[in-house]
Amino acid sequence: MSADRAMGCEQGPGHQPDTLADQLLDTVESLVMLWFAAAEDATPRLSTRQLLALQTVRRLPELNLTTLAEHLGIALPTASRLCDRLEAAGLLRRTVQPHNRREVQLVVTSQGRRLLADVTGRRSLSLAGVFEAMAQTERDSLRQGLLAFHRARARTLLRQQQPPPRDG
């Protein structure tokens, strides 16, 4: 994609929404590359799925293996192997629940929390570098555009949750 297209220079006042969607897709692709590049420099280096698993466990305390598998959309044996690797790296700990000895709780270790903080810090620095390259008016426009996107998305979700009108 050209820089002109990314900056929206080819669109006039009556631009088409699909052109805007294409531009957003290109921007998200660029953001995803920035997002994953920040994680690649972390030590130990984790796969995308391992990092997502660790983030999910941190975000959802008292998560068990079955729930993690559901959140990641993977089979239970795959989630178990994933946790084996994270545990071997010292990033995750499995503990048996006292009230149910068959249920295993997943907990991010202090080393795992440090790794996640490192990745988050790297991502923040990468984003800050991009924002520094933008003019203040561009940053303001981006902020307004993101807020408008969130509001429109919330309205869309609300409409989807409403029951269809009844005939008659």
Side-chain angles (χ1 to χ4, degrees), residues 18-101:
D18 60 342
T19 302
L20 183 58
D22 289 343
Q23 291 171 350
L24 182 58
L25 286 171
D26 288 339
T27 302
V28 168
E29 217 172 82
S30 179
L31 180 60
V32 167
M33 287 189 292
L34 176 147
W35 200 253
F36 290 132
E40 287 177 2
D41 294 333
T43 304
R45 187 170 176 194
L46 301 180
S47 71
T48 302
R49 186 169 279 168
Q50 288 171 323
L51 187 58
L52 183 58
L54 203 57
Q55 290 169 325
T56 302
V57 172
R58 182 195 60 195
R59 191 177 67 250
L60 301 170
E62 300 186 22
L63 191 72
N64 65 26
L65 194 57
T66 302
T67 308
L68 177 64
E70 290 170 1
H71 274 276
L72 297 178
I74 59 177
L76 190 56
T78 304
S80 183
R81 287 189 302 274
L82 184 70
C83 289
D84 288 344
R85 290 189 289 276
L86 291 171
E87 194 169 28
L91 305 172
L92 185 75
R93 186 176 65 250
R94 298 182 218 210
T95 60
V96 176
Q97 293 284 36
H99 64 279
N100 181 354
R101 308 268 320 145

Side-chain angles (χ1 to χ4, degrees), residues 162-168:
Q162 293 175 349
R166 294 184 183 187
D167 290 336

Side-chain angles (χ1 to χ4, degrees), residues 99-111:
H99 64 279
N100 181 354
R101 308 268 320 145
R102 291 178 32 186
E103 186 176 331
V104 175
Q105 178 183 352
L106 304 173
V107 179
V108 176
T109 64
S110 58
Q111 183 180 345

